[in-house]
Amino acid sequence: MHTSYMSTAGANMRGLQKLPSLRRRSSSTFARRSASLALLLGTVVALVCVGISSHMGLGMAPATTTARNPVSRIGTITHRAPLPVFRPSLFSRSTVSVPRAFQPATPTETDVKVPSAGGMFTQTKPEERKVIPRDEKGRKKFKVVYVVLESQYQSSMTQACKNINRDQENVCVECSGYLLEELRDPANYEAFKKDVADANVFIGSLIFVQDLAEKVVEAVKPARDNLDAVLCFPSMPDVMKLNKLGQFTLSSLGVGNEKKENEEPKAKKSSVVKDFFKAASKASPATFEENLLKLLRTLPTVLKFLPAGIAQDGRSFLLSLQYWLGGSDDNLENFLLMIANKYVDGVKGQNFIDEKKIAPPNLIAEKGIWHPLAPKVFESSDEYLEWYNKEVGPLNGVPADAPTVGVILQKSHINTKDEAHYVSLFQELEARGCRPVPVYTGSLDFSIPVEQYFYNRQKRCIVDSVINLTGFAMVGGPATQDHDRAVSVLKNLNRPYIVSVPLVFQSFEEWEKSQLGLHPVQTALQVSLPELDGAIEPIIFAGRDAVTGRSVPMQDRIDILAERAMNWAKLRKIENKDKKLAITIFSFPPDKGNVGTAAYLNVFGSIHAVMKQLKAEGYDVDVPENVEDLIDGVLKDKEAELASPELNVEYRMSVDEYLKKTPYADDLRDNWGAPPGNLNSDGENLLVYGKRFGNVFIGVQPSFGYEGDPMRLLFAKSASPHHGFAAYYTYIEKIFGANAVLHFGTHGSLEFMPGKQVGMSGKCYPDRLIHSLPNLYYYAANNPSEATIAKRRGYASTISYLTPPAENAGLYKGLKELGELVGSYQGLRETGRGASIVNSIVASARQCNLDKDIADLPTEEDDAQNMDLEHRDRVVGKVYNQLMEIESRLLPCGLHTVGVPPTVEEAVATLVNIASLDRPEDGFKALPRLCAEAVGRDIEEIYRNSDNGVLEDVTLRQNIVEATRAAVKAAAMQSANAEGRIESVNSMEVQLKNLVGIKSPWRDALLKNGFDVSEDKLTPLFKYLGFCLEQVVADNELGGLMDALDGKYIAPGPGGDPIRNPKVLPTGKNMHALDPQSIPTRAAVDCAKVVVDRLLDRQRQDMGGEWPESVALTLWGTDNIKTYGESLAQVMWLVGVEPVADSIGRVNKLRLIPLEELGRPRVDVVVTCSGVFRDLFINQMNLLDKAVKMAAEADEPLEMNFVRKHALEQAEELGVDLRSAATRIFSNSAGSYSANVGIAIENGGWKDESQLQEQFLERKSFAFNADRPGELAKADQVFKSSLKKVDVTFQNLDSSEISLSDVSHYFDSDPTKVVQGLRKDGKKPTAFVADTTTANAQVRTLSETVRLDARTKLLNPKFYEGMLNQGYEGAREITKRLRNTMGWSATAGAVDNFVYEDANKVFIEDPAMQQRLMETNPNAFRDMIQTFLEANGRGYWDTDEENIERLRNLYQDCEDKLEGIE
């Protein structure tokens, strides 16, 4: 066995030699030093209190540093002789053996039932790790109780206690240990409280889960005075305040002081702690932590020579912390003996323990490069590589120029000898010919070893990819992070950065059986937070043994992790000319006219741009001459007839080849029968559609396969992929031999295949399909939620792309004429012509169907001559307001092409909307607000009056809008070149400096529109707009892709609405969502209150003043990311509950708002969460469920608490308890998405509305229960019972880019007709939509919103002409809007007949339009015709027979064209 690491012992000894001189100092000097150090110690503990320290170890230099071969006892690797006698077999793949219990189980995921023990994530039993002395033999027994977040201490603590019981003659120990998550179980918690009540010592560590922290405090605080020692290491502040060791407490050091009841307030004292924090706040977390480490290195030794009292006990606390962080059984044994000897009654002062035999903490080096076969910890990469290439590489066949993977480790696992999972990964990497460089640090800041050890002496990076095995953010622990520093370090490193995750809260078996997968708290801490650093591929690589707590390598997961890391590393080694790229495009709904579907993306134009860039970068790619040739190559089978419906077949895979190369093929038989099946098949072979262009293959991803099957659509859980789907990915990886796959656009199906939500197993289909392929994914920048699903379930590295430039919808045809009439009235309102113009306005408004939106619009029989001027103004004001809503609504024009940024002109509308929002966090007001203030008005009042039809304020509002547009355009055009594009932004600040004494162009524009806003108020706003303009027109979409294919790091960035958050731009980033524990924000809560109050007011107006008793809401992932949780806050405000941040700023607590403060009844809710929301925000579902149950249990009058009223009724009706009856938070089953209503409507494969409603009820009736957080249980009875009571259905629109007809998601999850079918009175609930796309939030009925959407998009020439200019794909987008509009007829009856009638006039009655659609995309035109016929056939569109006959004839013409019949 090796005898030494590179040790710091010599340095420690030199420090000790200086210490005796302290003894000769005067007592006064001693006293001053004692007081100073006591305060300094307070600072240290305070730092620990707020989570600055880490479970990875504080990195303190040990009193003794020894060496050992730190290979785990698990498995077959044992201590060996020194390096010269190492044999190759030492590190072969079979060296570490995994206990049989941890091998993948044989049943499929769906065959395994989640344990029913309360639905907890862990059902491990604390009594299994209890240590009781077998024979006390008259010895003094003391009792220790500990609770920890992670399990690696479990085995060491057990062994330490056994050692004490075996070796000590006079004392013995009883020990009860708990994992934090176990305290959720009521029986475990009661046992914990009993254990604490009769314990001598309590130890807690890493208690960072708020609700469980509260449980710990609740149990320990009453027993604290009776405990001999309470030692709480880095945890929540309230837990840290429990610390007690002799005279040492936080309060004794001025930390955590609380005024007792009836106590006089004490005078405030200057606090070294506060001063230290103040200074530290100006330093970076990394610098701050390094200073702390330097302090901690010296403190324990210095304190040793101080007199007894606080400082001496403080030394014991810090020494305890060192022992604890040392983690090994010998460290913990000495720790327990030290505490017992000094503090346990009946032991201290009795000489029962030989103090001389209590060894000091024994730790490995603070940071370094660690390898299980190395003789020491290395302090430089050059030294490590020299050793590795000489001693290990040759034995394992790893050459000196092999791909190199940097691996970041968690020090505590090395300390506790719990590193078998690490060793297993090293073996797998080396077996693949890859060289690992494993680094660790005892600090929170993993960027320190990255910067120190992943570069050589020449400052050149030595690694090709990086795996972080800690699961944590690069800089920071579970409480605080510094993402900016992490991103800076990773940008400099510029390598793919994988953060893999060890199971913490679950045993292996529990994770394997769980359909949810990874524990929600762990997902938040170890998946969401690392994503903010740019991390990819959260693969589970280790489990824990339920009995010992030791980490166990999960071999199949480690295999795939090693393979993927190796493939990323290879991208740096392979020359571009030899790289193969598989570009995957989508076709949804499955149809030749839909090939290349992606949200707002010109897919084929973008692929052509990518191919040209690849060619320029040296790739072997045959680039078609133009986009049309590219489309023809993919869409047309050259061996079939010219007009064949078949796509081009690139490869025919025999069944034998498929079965040989697809290991999971047999698992698909249950759903799809024997291969080849009838999907992507010719009856004998499986067909891979697409075309190869040199080393680039463009393939068409197969469909789900169940689109037209009513029975499959109804299944509560989604089926497996079909054989054709599996064959496609088998072809890409194993036949074509792709080095990477590029999924092109938002979005495909792979990431939505069945499997766990997060933390895939080898049996989850997304994992099986993508396997080891690096997965790049172009994803729309405005859709971070689904992009996050692709990242977590499909291991995608996303590259964001811009949505098309937005424009104001404008007015057209009759609406434009109506606008001109309103303009005439404003000039002639007080003349004799005023009344006649009002009559024309009323007639024209009715002709444009605006009477459906203006409830009190006069009839055409009413004569304006009989109205006074005020009445006429009010009529015209309401019409004008409606016109302005249509005119100013933003709509994306055309489709985006990757790599083509918008022109300045195209960017103006986006900038106008950015300028229209107040940004107090940036220190300036919105431009409309500044304009209003310039004329002595408040913008909110103008909005209110405008909404109510006050003509003067409608006009003023429009003047403000026009002035804002003019000012922003004037500013933006200063940076345009002759072609209208931006080469570099002419800074607004620079422009101001160049215009000394001259009005700026934007101020001049405002003045011309009648608004005098001072330059000093405009300067910060327009400086910000200059920054935003730079981001809008910046372009790294192609650059980001090329970097990824070169094996480089893709910088992370938020996804969302660029108007709300311009940091979404520029595109080309690896998108992330947000920290789920940060929402809802305070601003989101404030916005939610406004919207909910408007919703309730609007409904009460329609119900004669009665309050609605229940509201059904739909929650979406992307919406909550964009708005920082507004709809979450809406649910809480309806039931009268307020979110509260915990002591470190995470939103995970609630306050029931008293009725007198709320000022209205609590309104019941039924919440259906999208599958994506469920995956991203399951912790927030937990919060919502608690909020509803908190309201249900409030003892209040039933007429003031509809939540309680309904829950009591349901408890009696269903025979359940109140909390179960108050279940209101629902979603799909784990691994399933949507109600499949959208799929049914898009494919026409549905019989009637009852089928759609049954699908909704069947697939959306899985309940989340905070009392059983480990499962989503089928709860269809309480779901139906709750929906029966709904008065209002409600959804949110938060972005101008995605509205009701743009996607099928909104109507897919709309329960309006479902509620109507369940209600005993058959009454359809009122359906409302909140529109927060502008500063003036609106609550409209669903029908009003559908009409607005149709007028601004489907029926608007600006929209459909912009789409038609895009050719093949644009025509498909128009058809999609019509089909989605019909979806609202099917699910809510919310579409007026005129919408279909007007659409028929635009697209069908006009022969020229017919011809354009037929030539552009005959498949899409046929689908449009079919949609019109279906709308008529299902009773949604009433029209004359002439229109129907025309449609039938056109349908036949399309069929003939598609079949090649002239």
Side-chain angles (χ1 to χ4, degrees):
M1 188 170 79
H2 306 310
T3 58
S4 67
Y5 279 108
M6 181 65 73
S7 175
T8 58
N12 288 339
M13 289 302 298
R14 287 190 297 273
L16 287 171
Q17 289 168 4
K18 300 176 182 178
L19 291 174
S21 63
L22 283 172
R23 297 175 181 168
R24 296 190 292 270
R25 295 177 184 256
S26 68
S27 60
S28 59
T29 302
F30 224 108
R32 287 196 300 272
R33 183 175 294 276
S34 176
S36 298
L37 284 169
L39 284 170
L40 195 55
L41 177 61
T43 300
V44 173
V45 176
L47 295 174
V48 172
C49 172
V50 295
I52 299 298
S53 54
S54 164
H55 69 294
M56 281 74 80
L58 281 167
M60 297 174 284
T64 303
T65 306
T66 62
R68 57 184 172 81
N69 188 334
V71 181
S72 176
R73 299 170 190 172
I74 294 182
T76 59
I77 288 183
T78 56
H79 298 301
R80 300 280 184 174
L83 266 173
V85 297
F86 284 165
R87 297 185 295 275
S89 61
L90 268 175
F91 224 47
S92 67
R93 294 183 66 174
S94 60
T95 308
V96 171
S97 63
V98 181
R100 188 171 186 82
F102 296 93
Q103 300 293 348
T106 50
T108 61
E109 294 283 353
T110 52
D111 293 331
V112 182
K113 190 172 183 180
V114 177
S116 59
M120 301 298 166
F121 274 88
T122 183
Q123 284 90 48
T124 51
K125 298 175 181 178
E127 59 264 27
E128 291 179 350
R129 68 184 74 94
K130 198 177 189 84
V131 177
I132 299 176
R134 291 183 181 178
D135 186 358
E136 296 184 20
K137 299 177 183 178
R139 295 180 291 176
K140 177 63 180 177
K141 184 178 77 172
F142 65 97
K143 181 174 180 179
V144 176
V145 178
Y146 70 89
V147 57
V148 292
L149 178 76
E150 295 184 306
S151 63
Q152 61 260 40
Y153 280 90
Q154 180 181 325
S155 180
S156 295
M157 277 291 285
T158 299
Q159 189 59 47
C161 292
K162 288 180 178 178
N163 292 347
I164 291 172
N165 291 337
R166 181 192 64 211
D167 299 336
Q168 293 294 317
E169 295 180 0
N170 301 312
V171 297
C172 57
V173 61
E174 176 184 333
C175 181
S176 296
Y178 294 82
L179 298 180
L180 186 59
E181 185 64 21
E182 291 170 344
L183 300 186
R184 293 190 190 279
D185 183 271
N188 285 345
Y189 185 57
E190 287 304 312
F192 172 66
K193 288 197 291 186
K194 290 179 181 177
D195 275 331
V196 170
D198 62 1
N200 299 97
V201 178
F202 172 76
I203 303 167
S205 178
L206 285 184
I207 301 170
F208 279 111
V209 181
Q210 178 66 35
D211 58 334
L212 297 177
E214 290 171 358
K215 282 178 172 285
V216 170
V217 172
E218 181 186 334
V220 177
K221 195 171 184 179
R224 182 172 178 268
D225 290 343
N226 297 323
L227 285 160
D228 296 319
V230 179
L231 293 148
C232 296
F233 303 125
S235 295
M236 299 290 284
D238 285 346
V239 177
M240 294 298 295
K241 290 175 185 176
L242 296 171
N243 268 301
K244 183 187 81 166
L245 198 61
Q247 297 180 50
F248 167 74
T249 65
L250 293 189
S251 59
S252 69
L253 299 171
V255 183
N257 273 328
E258 293 181 4
K259 185 176 78 71
K260 296 178 181 178
E261 191 175 357
N262 300 323
E263 185 182 45
E264 289 297 318
K266 297 177 182 178
K268 292 183 179 179
K269 297 180 181 179
S270 175
S271 169
V272 173
V273 176
K274 291 180 180 177
D275 292 343
F276 192 95
F277 273 122
K278 190 174 181 180
S281 66
K282 299 175 183 177
S284 75
T287 305
F288 184 43
E289 183 183 304
E290 283 302 293
N291 292 336
L292 171 64
L293 295 180
K294 290 175 184 176
L295 174 68
L296 292 176
R297 289 187 191 107
T298 58
L299 258 180
T301 311
V302 174
L303 288 170
K304 181 178 180 181
F305 295 92
L306 296 177
I310 294 174
Q312 189 74 305
D313 292 330
R315 178 208 176 258
S316 296
F317 177 82
L318 288 176
L319 202 60
S320 299
L321 187 56
Q322 283 190 301
Y323 278 123
W324 182 258
L325 296 171
S328 60
D329 49 22
D330 57 339
N331 275 314
L332 297 183
E333 178 184 349
N334 288 311
F335 162 50
L336 295 178
L337 290 173
M338 182 199 75
I339 294 299
N341 190 51
K342 290 188 175 183
Y343 298 102
V344 172
D345 281 346
V347 178
K348 67 179 180 180
Q350 301 299 317
N351 296 319
F352 286 164
I353 299 170
D354 187 348
E355 188 172 359
K356 295 178 181 177
K357 292 184 178 180
I358 301 176
N362 182 0
L363 309 179
I364 65 171
E366 186 177 297
K367 59 180 182 287
I369 305 176
W370 174 86
H371 191 287
L373 300 183
K376 65 178 183 178
V377 172
F378 295 96
E379 295 183 336
S380 78
S381 59
D382 296 277
E383 184 186 16
Y384 169 78
L385 291 178
E386 182 181 355
W387 166 79
Y388 188 93
N389 292 336
K390 180 180 178 182
E391 304 289 350
V392 180
L395 299 179
N396 287 283
V398 181
D401 62 348
T404 301
V405 176
V407 187
I408 303 171
L409 308 178
Q410 188 170 327
K411 188 186 177 196
S412 63
H413 284 283
I414 302 172
N415 286 339
T416 57
K417 305 175 186 178
D418 181 30
E419 68 285 277
H421 51 325
Y422 293 165
V423 175
S424 183
L425 176 65
F426 303 161
Q427 290 177 292
E428 291 304 327
L429 289 170
E430 293 182 336
R432 289 164 170 77
C434 184
R435 178 174 53 195
V437 180
V439 304
Y440 74 88
T441 177
S443 80
L444 294 167
D445 190 351
F446 297 108
S447 70
I448 293 172
V450 166
E451 290 187 308
Q452 188 166 343
Y453 304 127
F454 286 168
Y455 296 88
N456 61 18
R457 289 190 190 96
Q458 290 74 41
K459 304 299 181 184
R460 292 181 61 185
C461 181
I462 63 167
V463 300
D464 298 301
S465 62
V466 178
I467 307 174
N468 182 343
L469 293 183
T470 73
F472 285 105
M474 176 160 283
V475 183
T480 59
Q481 300 80 39
D482 186 346
H483 299 294
D484 289 341
R485 170 161 170 76
V487 171
S488 175
V489 169
L490 288 166
K491 277 184 177 179
N492 290 334
L493 190 70
N494 205 17
R495 299 294 186 268
Y497 176 58
I498 297 169
V499 175
S500 197
V501 184
L503 295 177
V504 173
F505 295 104
Q506 305 143 278
S507 68
F508 173 88
E509 296 93 341
E510 290 163 344
W511 164 81
E512 187 179 45
K513 294 173 184 176
S514 170
Q515 294 178 350
L516 295 176
L518 194 62
H519 190 289
V521 172
Q522 196 172 358
T523 298
L525 293 178
Q526 295 190 299
V527 178
S528 298
L529 294 178
E531 283 173 348
L532 304 182
D533 294 341
I536 57 175
E537 304 186 6
I539 297 171
I540 305 296
F541 76 100
R544 64 171 173 83
D545 178 38
V547 177
T548 68
R550 284 200 169 274
S551 299
V552 181
M554 296 161 60
Q555 202 56 50
D556 74 312
R557 301 290 78 213
I558 285 177
D559 283 347
I560 202 66
L561 175 60
E563 192 72 26
R564 295 189 65 81
M566 183 71 169
N567 286 341
W568 276 111
K570 283 180 179 177
L571 289 175
R572 299 192 59 79
K573 300 289 186 180
I574 303 171
E575 292 187 40
N576 284 353
K577 67 182 179 61
D578 298 321
K579 288 178 186 173
K580 291 184 176 180
L581 175 65
I583 296 176
T584 296
I585 58 177
F586 315 120
S587 177
F588 194 83
D591 183 273
K592 191 171 181 178
N594 291 325
V595 174
T597 48
Y600 284 122
L601 186 66
N602 184 328
V603 171
F604 285 108
S606 296
I607 291 175
H608 195 254
V610 166
M611 293 173 80
K612 288 193 292 185
Q613 185 66 35
L614 290 170
K615 187 76 172 178
E617 298 281 341
Y619 285 74
D620 179 8
V621 54
D622 303 325
V623 184
E625 189 172 333
N626 52 51
V627 176
E628 289 69 27
D629 289 348
L630 174 62
I631 294 172
D632 284 348
V634 175
L635 262 58
K636 294 182 179 177
D637 186 348
K638 302 303 181 185
E639 296 180 7
E641 295 179 10
L642 182 65
S644 166
E646 273 304 309
L647 301 173
N648 188 67
V649 178
E650 177 58 34
Y651 190 79
R652 286 176 165 81
M653 188 183 299
S654 70
V655 172
D656 285 346
E657 184 179 31
Y658 166 69
L659 292 174
K660 188 180 298 182
K661 293 182 182 296
T662 311
Y664 55 91
D666 284 343
D667 292 348
L668 312 185
R669 291 176 183 264
D670 286 347
N671 282 305
W672 302 102
N678 58 6
L679 296 167
N680 291 69
S681 163
D682 60 7
E684 296 181 4
N685 303 291
L686 289 149
L687 306 181
V688 177
Y689 293 119
K691 186 172 178 62
R692 186 167 173 174
F693 298 85
N695 279 347
V696 173
F697 165 67
I698 301 174
V700 182
Q701 186 186 71
S703 67
F704 279 110
Y706 53 74
E707 289 82 2
D709 186 336
M711 287 306 296
R712 289 187 188 273
L713 290 171
L714 183 60
F715 291 157
K717 298 181 180 180
S718 301
S720 69
H722 57 79
H723 293 294
F725 203 106
Y728 176 82
Y729 283 94
T730 295
Y731 167 78
I732 287 175
E733 183 179 19
K734 298 178 180 177
I735 298 171
F736 173 64
N739 299 109
V741 61
L742 170 61
H743 288 93
F744 218 98
T746 306
H747 58 76
S749 307
L750 178 144
E751 60 268 29
F752 295 100
M753 287 295 175
K756 299 182 188 300
Q757 283 182 202
V758 186
M760 302 286 101
S761 76
K763 292 185 178 296
C764 295
Y765 285 107
D767 181 278
R768 285 174 155 182
L769 291 161
I770 199 63
H771 197 236
S772 65
L773 283 170
N775 181 12
L776 308 175
Y777 211 137
Y778 269 132
Y779 227 94
N782 67 348
N783 193 347
S785 62
E786 290 178 319
T788 302
I789 300 302
K791 288 160 69 82
R792 296 179 184 177
R793 306 187 86 240
Y795 308 147
S797 296
T798 59
I799 302 166
S800 61
Y801 65 82
L802 200 61
T803 49
E807 293 186 30
N808 297 107
L811 299 176
Y812 55 90
K813 299 180 181 176
L815 294 172
K816 186 175 182 181
E817 294 169 3
L818 182 54
E820 291 169 353
L821 283 172
V822 170
S824 299
Y825 174 77
Q826 288 175 304
L828 301 170
R829 54 191 286 271
E830 297 189 68
T831 70
R833 294 182 56 193
S836 62
I837 296 174
V838 171
N839 288 334
S840 298
I841 287 172
V842 169
S844 182
R846 289 187 169 276
Q847 191 175 1
C848 293
N849 296 291
L850 293 185
D851 55 308
K852 302 179 185 302
D853 300 286
I854 305 171
D856 53 355
L857 186 71
T859 65
E860 292 186 50
E861 287 73 34
D862 293 329
D863 190 346
Q865 295 284 358
N866 299 325
M867 305 175 190
D868 58 23
L869 181 61
E870 183 180 348
H871 188 180
R872 290 200 296 266
D873 281 355
R874 191 162 58 251
V875 170
V876 175
K878 289 184 177 181
V879 172
Y880 191 16
N881 182 63
Q882 198 65 38
L883 287 175
M884 290 307 98
E885 281 202 355
I886 298 169
E887 188 277 339
S888 61
R889 195 169 179 83
L890 284 184
L891 69 149
C893 288
L895 299 170
H896 177 67
T897 299
V898 165
V900 181
T903 64
V904 177
E905 186 77 32
E906 289 170 335
V908 165
T910 299
L911 290 174
V912 166
N913 280 270
I914 291 173
S916 298
L917 295 178
D918 289 315
R919 299 184 189 272
E921 68 279 9
D922 293 307
F924 54 81
K925 298 177 181 178
L927 191 51
R929 186 176 300 280
L930 293 175
C931 290
E933 290 174 356
V935 292
R937 296 291 304 279
D938 174 58
I939 192 67
E940 305 298 341
E941 182 189 20
I942 295 170
Y943 286 151
R944 265 194 314 274
N945 291 345
S946 177
D947 291 343
N948 291 327
V950 177
L951 181 59
E952 181 183 356
D953 281 356
V954 178
T955 304
L956 177 56
R957 175 185 167 190
Q958 187 58 21
N959 290 343
I960 289 173
V961 168
E962 290 171 357
T964 300
R965 291 174 185 169
V968 172
K969 184 173 182 179
M973 294 308 292
Q974 300 295 307
S975 300
N977 62 17
E979 296 175 355
R981 294 193 177 274
I982 292 183
E983 292 169 2
S984 63
V985 171
N986 186 0
S987 164
M988 308 300 179
E989 189 175 25
V990 171
Q991 292 179 48
L992 281 171
K993 289 178 181 177
N994 292 338
L995 293 167
V996 177
I998 306 173
K999 291 191 296 290
S1000 63
W1002 45 93
R1003 182 161 186 260
D1004 190 49
L1006 292 173
L1007 284 169
K1008 289 177 180 177
N1009 282 271
F1011 300 99
D1012 186 0
V1013 183
S1014 65
E1015 206 76 77
D1016 62 321
K1017 290 182 179 179
L1018 295 172
T1019 299
L1021 170 60
F1022 279 87
K1023 183 179 177 182
Y1024 180 78
L1025 290 178
F1027 161 77
C1028 293
L1029 180 59
E1030 282 185 317
Q1031 307 312 303
V1032 170
V1033 300
D1035 171 32
N1036 194 40
E1037 293 169 357
L1038 288 174
L1041 174 62
M1042 296 305 127
D1043 284 348
L1045 289 172
D1046 285 341
K1048 296 178 181 177
Y1049 172 73
I1050 310 174
D1057 182 0
I1059 291 170
R1060 288 177 184 261
N1061 181 14
K1063 291 180 182 177
V1064 167
L1065 306 169
T1067 46
K1069 297 176 183 174
N1070 185 10
M1071 260 198 299
H1072 58 70
L1074 43 70
D1075 177 359
Q1077 296 183 104
S1078 67
I1079 64 170
T1081 62
R1082 185 70 254 170
V1085 171
D1086 292 341
C1087 292
K1089 289 179 179 179
V1090 171
V1091 169
V1092 168
D1093 290 347
R1094 289 183 182 179
L1095 167 70
L1096 296 177
D1097 288 346
R1098 178 85 189 260
Q1099 177 66 359
R1100 289 184 73 201
Q1101 290 173 17
D1102 298 342
M1103 294 177 66
E1106 292 291 319
W1107 292 99
E1109 293 196 4
S1110 182
V1111 177
L1113 303 93
T1114 305
L1115 300 190
W1116 301 99
T1118 289
D1119 294 14
N1120 277 283
I1121 292 171
K1122 290 177 179 176
T1123 64
Y1124 297 92
E1126 281 182 18
S1127 58
L1128 275 170
Q1130 289 167 2
V1131 176
M1132 295 179 189
W1133 184 241
L1134 280 165
V1135 300
V1137 170
E1138 184 176 46
V1140 178
D1142 65 20
S1143 52
I1144 55 175
R1146 299 176 307 192
V1147 183
N1148 52 27
K1149 299 170 70 176
L1150 298 166
R1151 179 180 79 94
L1152 186 72
I1153 302 169
L1155 285 174
E1156 55 270 22
E1157 181 182 336
L1158 187 63
R1160 59 164 173 80
R1162 303 188 195 279
V1163 178
D1164 201 0
V1165 294
V1166 184
V1167 182
T1168 51
C1169 304
S1170 74
V1172 174
F1173 182 94
R1174 173 206 62 210
D1175 286 2
L1176 299 187
F1177 297 115
I1178 198 161
N1179 287 301
Q1180 275 60 36
M1181 292 173 70
N1182 182 60
L1183 210 58
L1184 291 177
D1185 186 66
K1186 288 180 177 179
V1188 174
K1189 287 171 177 169
M1190 186 182 286
E1193 291 178 326
D1195 187 7
E1196 296 168 341
L1198 298 186
E1199 68 273 12
M1200 292 299 291
N1201 188 336
F1202 301 135
V1203 185
R1204 182 173 178 80
K1205 174 186 175 183
H1206 295 160
L1208 289 170
E1209 293 171 355
Q1210 289 170 279
E1212 184 176 352
E1213 172 193 343
L1214 302 174
V1216 296
D1217 60 62
L1218 179 66
R1219 288 182 68 82
S1220 297
T1223 298
R1224 295 291 186 272
I1225 314 302
F1226 300 90
S1227 186
N1228 296 83
S1229 66
S1232 293
Y1233 299 84
S1234 87
N1236 281 349
V1237 170
I1239 292 176
I1241 289 173
E1242 286 164 344
N1243 290 276
W1246 53 293
K1247 182 181 177 182
D1248 54 29
E1249 290 178 2
S1250 65
Q1251 178 196 322
L1252 304 180
Q1253 292 161 27
E1254 190 177 354
Q1255 283 177 208
F1256 179 91
L1257 291 168
E1258 181 67 19
R1259 289 181 61 85
K1260 285 291 185 181
S1261 56
F1262 288 80
F1264 184 89
N1265 189 336
D1267 298 333
R1268 297 189 297 275
E1271 62 185 37
L1272 279 168
K1274 184 75 170 173
D1276 50 344
Q1277 292 305 308
V1278 71
F1279 188 43
K1280 292 177 183 177
S1281 175
S1282 300
L1283 286 170
K1284 286 178 185 177
K1285 298 171 173 59
V1286 165
D1287 302 306
V1288 173
T1289 62
F1290 182 61
Q1291 293 204 53
N1292 287 275
L1293 288 177
D1294 62 272
S1295 170
S1296 59
E1297 297 168 317
I1298 301 176
S1299 191
L1300 295 184
S1301 67
D1302 293 323
V1303 293
S1304 61
H1305 304 54
Y1306 287 116
F1307 70 76
D1308 178 274
S1309 291
D1310 182 77
T1312 302
K1313 282 190 176 179
V1314 175
V1315 171
Q1316 183 180 16
L1318 290 172
R1319 285 183 64 115
K1320 292 179 181 178
D1321 58 8
K1323 179 183 175 183
K1324 189 166 77 171
T1326 309
F1328 286 108
V1329 176
D1331 182 347
T1332 58
T1333 59
T1334 66
N1336 183 25
Q1338 299 286 316
V1339 174
R1340 303 185 183 94
T1341 66
L1342 176 58
S1343 294
E1344 289 170 351
T1345 310
V1346 170
R1347 287 193 292 271
L1348 180 61
D1349 208 46
R1351 286 169 176 144
T1352 53
K1353 289 183 179 171
L1354 183 65
L1355 305 177
N1356 187 350
K1358 186 180 284 191
F1359 174 79
Y1360 61 71
E1361 289 294 343
M1363 286 299 176
L1364 285 171
N1365 289 338
Q1366 300 290 322
Y1368 164 87
E1369 292 166 84
R1372 182 184 62 226
E1373 290 292 320
I1374 297 170
T1375 297
K1376 183 173 78 173
R1377 298 306 184 291
L1378 180 66
R1379 174 67 64 167
N1380 289 341
T1381 299
M1382 191 186 74
W1384 286 109
S1385 292
T1387 62
V1391 186
D1392 294 281
N1393 200 70
F1394 84 83
V1395 174
Y1396 293 110
E1397 199 69 23
D1398 287 1
N1400 179 69
K1401 289 176 183 176
V1402 171
F1403 301 111
I1404 303 299
E1405 289 186 9
D1406 182 359
M1409 180 63 78
Q1410 293 175 19
Q1411 188 66 25
R1412 289 173 70 188
L1413 290 167
M1414 183 77 82
E1415 290 176 356
T1416 303
N1417 190 333
N1419 289 280
F1421 187 41
R1422 179 187 59 184
D1423 290 347
M1424 176 187 286
I1425 295 165
Q1426 187 174 341
T1427 302
F1428 276 116
L1429 289 170
E1430 187 177 349
N1432 175 257
R1434 294 187 185 275
Y1436 303 143
W1437 175 34
D1438 181 21
T1439 191
D1440 57 48
E1441 188 59 33
E1442 181 183 350
N1443 282 333
I1444 300 303
E1445 188 61 30
R1446 182 188 299 110
L1447 287 163
R1448 289 174 182 147
N1449 292 334
L1450 282 171
Y1451 188 87
Q1452 189 59 53
D1453 291 344
C1454 287
E1455 288 284 294
D1456 291 345
K1457 182 175 179 64
L1458 291 169
E1459 292 174 12
I1461 302 172
E1462 295 296 330

